[in-house]
Amino acid sequence: MSKVRYAVLGFAVVLLVLFFCIGSDDDLLSPEHTGIVVDVNEGDNGFTFILETRDSDIRCFSSDIPMELGYYGVIGDFSKDGRIFFVEQLIYLD
């Protein structure tokens, strides 16, 4: 009987480890802004684009290239003057 108990316990541990390994961090993140990406341009250090949200258009800078007309969420901070949003995490939501 104890062999069965250890087998079940081992199987449960394997399932738990797989759950954490397979689960993406992006699924746990809550984007600050979401919208459609338009007007993607490449610069010296990354990419600028406009994120068209429900309420406004946000000019963004990211080191990752977004797909034109893709639906994304962004996490990051606005510049001191509020003109551009520096993207720390670009999350593809389509």
Side-chain angles (χ1 to χ4, degrees):
M1 186 71 160
S2 70
K3 288 183 181 180
V4 173
R5 192 177 329 177
Y6 287 122
V8 170
L9 181 61
F11 184 71
V13 170
V14 168
L15 284 177
L16 187 63
V17 169
L18 283 175
F19 174 77
F20 284 110
C21 290
I22 293 173
S24 171
D25 288 342
D26 291 348
D27 295 337
L28 302 175
L29 297 175
S30 179
E32 296 170 21
H33 306 282
T34 60
I36 305 295
V37 168
V38 296
D39 195 26
V40 178
N41 294 295
E42 185 173 4
D44 292 337
N45 298 319
F47 302 90
T48 59
F49 59 91
I50 304 297
L51 185 69
E52 292 183 346
T53 69
R54 175 176 285 175
D55 301 325
S56 63
D57 292 349
I58 302 172
R59 183 164 178 77
C60 299
F61 175 83
S62 174
S63 58
D64 298 325
I65 184 170
M67 182 174 55
E68 187 81 25
L69 299 178
Y71 181 57
Y72 285 88
V74 292
I75 297 173
D77 295 305
F78 278 100
S79 62
K80 287 184 181 182
D81 63 5
R83 291 185 177 186
I84 193 161
F85 187 83
F86 292 104
V87 177
E88 293 175 15
Q89 291 233 301
L90 183 65
I91 305 164
Y92 185 62
L93 299 174
D94 268 348

